[in-house]
Amino acid sequence: MAESNVKQRYAVIGAGWAGCAAAMELARAGHAVTLFEAARTLGGRARRVERENTVLDNGQHILLGAYTETLRLIKLSGQDPSELILTLPLQMRYPANSGGMDFVAPRLPAPLHLAWALLRAKGLLRADKLALMRFSTAMRWMGWQLYNDCTVSELLQRLDQTDRLSRLMWHPLCLAALNTPPERASARVFINVLRDSLGASRRRASDMLIPKVDLTSLLPDAAARYLTQHGGAVRTGAKVAALQALPDGRWRLDDGESFDGVIVATSSVQAASLLQGLQDTRLDDVINCMQAFTPEAISTCYLQYDASVRLDLPFYALVDTPEQRHWGQFVFDRGQLDSNQAGLLAVVISASGPAAEQGHAPLALAIAAQLAQVLQRPELAQPAWTQLITEKRATFACTPDLARPGNASGVPGLLLAGDYTANADRTQDYPATIEAAVRSGVAAARIVTTGKVAK
């Protein structure tokens, strides 16, 4: 591995959030970096797209104040997060009279903000509030760690969580964070996310952050500028089809340039394909891990209404009841994020495989009808246009004790970065989120520059 005081040439394959993070961190350390991206738009599975002559995202995202590495890199890229992101206190607010609840944390020091939110929460019975207190107390007693993994549903049952609290808080939080239904989701990873947000000593860690700009503008484009300003290069429309390990320890991409090291920051499917081409038995376990992942989809339905249409809040949680054709789980008012998108609503469906099977037109019609009913606004049943975007491989199913490769591939000079990698300490593992991708990219770059695996 290269020493940090020696300038080396590195290739980063894939300009999603992991690749952008890795490239920035290498450039910050003074190395020459070339970032390769097969698509024309940076951002991978969290990027901008253009539909109906409108700039959208391939999926509506919500970040957390606990996403410290993402926020650090946004600042490092020369941008001000406060100008790009709407910051809201922790909340789970459902439309009035929709069978939900109203839970919003005030801006008090942690953990007083949660206690006050629980005390003032509407729509929860006394038994529900006691169950939430029981959950919080148990997690603090356990140090927010779960050494013997199980499903989220099993954890909730062990901690005597009420059906109503599970349905209105834990179920939607699990879907939003892990994109895996609670009956299949890893309780350990779920607790990791809750520890860094609900259980953090800083109240701001639990804040909900909603991008006001498209996802590519939020970091990937700025990362590309940062890279070129530091002597690197960004090549879009440049798919890397093969890697070759050279006798001198360097690496050749396709039949072209050679580099001192390579970080593969593509999706796990593409990474496995690249690694297979090396025909190196040291990579067998890593490849097997990546090929064993089960994909989970996320769908976002955009609905355009008259510019005068506006929700009372920037976003609401929705009670999803598929048997009633209510598929939506969250609705966002994009007009409150960007005035140029007035009247545009975005409805998110995590773990959306069954919903996407309905087909674009029937699903969009069902979502419009759901909004009209639960928001008690009949005009929402008739949008001017709809656009459904489904990322079929948005994430991997985050199941208990899932085997995940680390950043180190086992072959010198070849690193992996992506939201699917495992932390050296499994109690730090995150689900497939933007923050997980960024942390992985940073970790891979630091292994390259220091030769040490982060703990």
Side-chain angles (χ1 to χ4, degrees):
M1 292 291 181
E3 296 295 329
S4 58
N5 60 345
V6 178
K7 184 171 183 177
Q8 301 286 313
R9 295 187 70 235
Y10 292 106
V12 178
I13 304 172
W17 288 66
C20 287
M24 286 185 69
E25 199 67 15
L26 287 172
R28 188 174 74 91
H31 299 294
V33 186
T34 302
L35 180 60
F36 296 86
E37 172 53 48
R40 295 292 179 182
T41 303
L42 308 184
R45 284 167 286 130
R47 68 187 185 282
R48 67 167 166 257
V49 297
E50 187 169 329
R51 299 286 191 275
E52 300 288 343
N53 297 316
T54 303
V55 174
L56 306 171
D57 289 317
N58 69 321
Q60 175 67 53
H61 280 64
I62 188 166
L63 287 65
L64 295 174
Y67 285 11
T68 52
E69 284 298 275
T70 301
L71 294 172
R72 179 181 70 84
L73 290 189
I74 290 174
K75 293 176 183 176
L76 180 63
S77 72
Q79 302 192 106
D80 182 354
S82 65
E83 295 179 355
L84 307 176
I85 296 171
L86 174 64
T87 300
L88 299 172
L90 172 69
Q91 55 194 269
M92 189 64 73
R93 312 188 74 176
Y94 290 79
N97 304 313
S98 67
M101 67 176 185
D102 192 45
F103 179 99
V104 55
R107 298 190 182 279
L108 295 174
L112 292 178
H113 68 312
L114 294 180
W116 186 256
L118 182 59
L119 180 66
R120 298 295 298 272
K122 299 177 182 178
L124 292 180
L125 302 177
R126 182 173 182 272
D128 304 322
K129 294 183 179 182
L130 289 175
L132 184 52
M133 291 175 60
R134 185 162 52 247
F135 185 96
S136 178
T137 300
M139 288 300 104
R140 293 181 188 281
W141 180 78
M142 294 164 57
W144 295 92
Q145 293 185 5
L146 188 66
Y147 294 103
N148 296 314
D149 207 357
C150 63
T151 69
V152 170
S153 292
E154 288 171 335
L155 177 69
L156 298 179
Q157 187 175 19
R158 290 179 194 174
L159 298 180
D160 296 323
Q161 299 300 283
T162 64
D163 290 342
R164 181 171 179 79
L165 184 65
S166 295
R167 178 166 55 89
L168 297 180
M169 176 166 281
W170 301 130
H171 180 88
L173 284 180
C174 178
L175 282 174
L178 275 66
N179 194 37
T180 309
E183 59 270 19
R184 294 192 287 110
S186 165
R188 177 192 289 138
V189 176
F190 186 50
I191 288 173
N192 291 348
V193 177
L194 295 180
R195 175 198 63 217
D196 291 351
S197 53
L198 300 184
S201 58
R202 296 183 310 113
R203 190 268 309 158
R204 290 183 179 180
S206 66
D207 283 347
M208 292 179 153
L209 313 181
I210 310 176
K212 295 191 287 187
V213 297
D214 67 79
L215 291 172
T216 299
S217 297
L218 187 58
L219 179 65
D221 278 350
R225 292 193 295 271
Y226 180 91
L227 192 57
T228 55
Q229 290 166 2
H230 287 74
V234 180
R235 300 181 186 175
T236 58
K239 181 178 181 179
V240 176
L243 297 175
Q244 181 184 0
L246 301 177
D248 62 359
R250 290 165 59 81
W251 291 84
R252 177 173 293 146
L253 274 59
D254 295 327
D255 294 322
E257 299 170 84
S258 298
F259 296 87
D260 295 293
V262 175
I263 295 178
V264 177
T266 63
S267 71
S268 60
V269 173
Q270 294 166 321
S273 178
L274 268 178
L275 298 190
Q276 279 183 311
L278 290 170
Q279 297 183 336
D280 189 324
T281 57
R282 290 174 294 180
L283 297 170
D284 288 349
D285 288 343
V286 170
I287 293 170
N288 289 338
C289 275
M290 292 190 285
Q291 291 179 332
F293 290 146
T294 301
E296 289 280 1
I298 297 178
S299 296
T300 301
C301 185
Y302 292 96
L303 306 97
Q304 181 66 61
Y305 299 95
D306 184 83
S308 63
V309 171
R310 181 183 175 91
L311 302 185
D312 292 335
L313 297 174
F315 82 99
Y316 282 104
L318 303 172
V319 178
D320 60 324
T321 50
E323 61 273 14
Q324 298 179 21
R325 302 184 73 241
H326 284 193
W327 300 98
Q329 297 155 359
F330 290 93
V331 57
F332 295 79
D333 185 346
R334 300 278 296 194
Q336 296 191 44
L337 305 171
D338 180 357
S339 60
N340 294 320
Q341 295 188 346
L344 181 64
L345 304 184
V347 176
V348 178
I349 310 171
S350 296
S352 65
E357 290 175 359
Q358 309 302 306
H360 180 160
L363 181 55
L365 184 63
I367 289 173
Q370 178 186 2
L371 293 179
Q373 180 181 337
V374 300
L375 291 167
Q376 301 177 44
R377 297 179 61 170
E379 72 274 17
L380 298 184
Q382 300 294 330
W385 55 259
T386 63
Q387 180 66 53
L388 181 70
I389 300 176
T390 296
E391 281 285 329
K392 293 183 179 180
R393 293 182 172 272
T395 71
F396 57 87
C398 194
T399 52
D401 289 319
L402 180 68
R404 297 161 64 173
N407 293 108
S409 70
V411 177
L414 179 63
L415 281 297
L416 305 175
D419 57 16
Y420 61 88
T421 62
N423 193 282
D425 177 0
R426 294 304 302 270
T427 64
Q428 303 298 318
D429 279 349
Y430 254 41
T433 60
I434 282 176
E435 176 72 0
V438 169
R439 289 186 184 188
S440 180
V442 169
R446 289 178 179 171
I447 293 172
V448 165
T449 57
T450 66
K452 298 177 181 179
V453 178
K455 297 295 185 182

